[in-house]
């Protein structure tokens, strides 16, 4: 079946440094790639998404890049802050309709003071 | 506007018991989804619905049933609970449309099966 691989599973960075999380997907028909942030005990919340007709999207300190040829997409967080500590999930749309997406296994990001 | 509301928030069951998890959304979304979240495995789709009166299987449907009698509600049922169904269950909803739309999640239900 289709899958999304996410790396690394854990990431620790110094406050103020940048963090990068990478994902690969298998379904060549995927055209929508959301990223969710989940704080401990909370719901997943959408932080940014990108569609296949663009290669990069930025929202303040967060950016996402997409390489359709290589089936890679990445999340970049700059000037990290303590409140960025959370689990981040990438996801990719599936070939079928109904806005179904498949999630990566998550990256636990810790920001060191 | 409450968004997506899940009840209950916590539940402990004994093996073989049955229960129903309720999801309600007030955003007039067509699509609704049930996921389970287990450590190190992300979120996996159990069942989903593209509209009132419709349901379909997701990635891990065995042991679960669903119903969508009203557009705003999506129920997840466990007929005979098993310890392997211990998990955190999330409901989500999204608009329909020509292009994929973001999914909005509820706060989750933490379910333990003893």
């Amino acid at each position: 079946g289709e899958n999304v691989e996410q790396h690394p599973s854990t990431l620790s960075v110094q406050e103020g440094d940048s963090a990068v999380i990478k994902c690969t997907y298998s379904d060549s028909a995927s055209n929508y790639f959301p990223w969710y942030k989940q704080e401990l005990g909370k719901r997943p919340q959408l932080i940014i998404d990108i569609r296949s007709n663009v290669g990069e999207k930025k929202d303040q300190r967060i950016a996402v890049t997409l390489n359709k040829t290589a089936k890679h997409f990445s999340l970049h967080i700059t000037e990290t802050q303590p409140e960025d500590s959370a689990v981040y999930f990438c996801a990719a749309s599936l070939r079928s309709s109904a806005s179904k997406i498949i999630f990566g296994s998550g990256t636990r990001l810790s920001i060191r003071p | 506007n409450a968004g997506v509301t899940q009840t209950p928030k916590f539940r402990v069951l004994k093996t073989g018991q049955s229960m129903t998890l309720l999801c309600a959304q007030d955003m007039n979304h067509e699509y609704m989804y049930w996921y389970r979240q287990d450590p190190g495995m992300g979120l996996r789709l159990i069942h989903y619905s593209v509209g009132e009166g419709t349901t379909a299987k997701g990635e891990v449907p065995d042991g679960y049933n669903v119903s969508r009698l009203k557009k705003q509600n999506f129920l997840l049922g466990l007929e005979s609970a098993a310890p392997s169904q211990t998990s955190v269950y999330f409901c989500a909803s999204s608009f329909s449309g020509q292009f994929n739309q973001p999914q909005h999640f509820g706060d989750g239900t933490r379910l333990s099966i003893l």
Side-chain angles (χ1 to χ4, degrees):
Chain A
E2 307 301 344
N3 73 304
V4 173
E5 294 189 358
Q6 183 171 349
H7 301 281
S9 57
T10 60
L11 179 61
S12 178
V13 300
Q14 193 77 31
E15 183 177 349
D17 288 349
S18 296
V20 180
I21 302 170
K22 299 181 179 181
C23 292
T24 60
Y25 60 97
S26 61
D27 187 352
S28 57
S30 294
N31 58 16
Y32 174 65
F33 306 91
W35 285 87
Y36 285 85
K37 175 183 179 182
Q38 187 178 30
E39 298 178 357
L40 188 63
K42 300 291 183 65
R43 69 177 74 183
Q45 290 195 302
L46 181 74
I47 55 172
I48 194 168
D49 56 10
I50 189 169
R51 300 185 186 275
S52 58
N53 58 343
V54 298
E56 183 174 359
K57 183 176 180 181
K58 189 174 181 179
D59 182 3
Q60 298 183 353
R61 297 186 296 108
I62 294 174
V64 58
T65 59
L66 172 64
N67 182 329
K68 288 173 54 180
T69 303
K71 296 182 187 175
H72 289 171
F73 58 115
S74 300
L75 178 72
H76 305 253
I77 305 174
T78 58
E79 301 174 8
T80 53
Q81 301 171 2
E83 55 264 35
D84 294 330
S85 293
V87 178
Y88 292 81
F89 292 96
C90 63
S93 62
L94 293 173
R95 186 182 300 267
S96 61
S97 61
S99 292
K100 288 196 300 180
I101 54 178
I102 184 167
F103 285 86
S105 55
T107 296
R108 182 174 300 277
L109 175 63
S110 300
I111 308 301
R112 304 191 303 271
Chain B
N1 190 337
V4 180
T5 303
Q6 292 183 232
T7 52
K9 297 188 184 305
F10 305 96
R11 186 72 184 268
V12 178
L13 291 178
K14 294 181 180 179
T15 298
Q17 288 185 318
S18 63
M19 80 160 295
T20 300
L21 280 64
L22 172 64
C23 177
Q25 53 92 8
D26 61 2
M27 297 176 283
N28 201 33
H29 286 171
E30 286 291 337
Y31 299 159
M32 296 188 74
Y33 316 84
W34 275 107
Y35 293 90
R36 62 177 289 172
Q37 184 175 35
D38 302 295
M41 299 187 72
L43 292 97
R44 292 182 293 168
L45 183 64
I46 304 171
H47 286 280
Y48 66 100
S49 168
V50 298
E52 181 178 318
T54 73
T55 63
K57 293 180 179 180
E59 183 184 0
V60 288
D62 294 344
Y64 305 95
N65 56 75
V66 287
S67 64
R68 184 106 179 262
L69 299 180
K70 294 183 177 181
K71 183 178 181 180
Q72 64 267 33
N73 296 336
F74 195 28
L75 278 63
L76 177 70
L78 286 72
E79 291 185 347
S80 180
S84 61
Q85 294 177 304
T86 293
S87 188
V88 180
Y89 292 85
F90 284 99
C91 176
S93 67
S94 73
F95 281 113
S96 61
Q98 181 180 1
F99 303 106
N100 289 291
Q101 299 297 322
Q103 293 185 17
H104 302 264
F105 285 82
D107 286 333
T109 295
R110 188 173 297 276
L111 184 60
S112 295
I113 315 297
L114 304 179

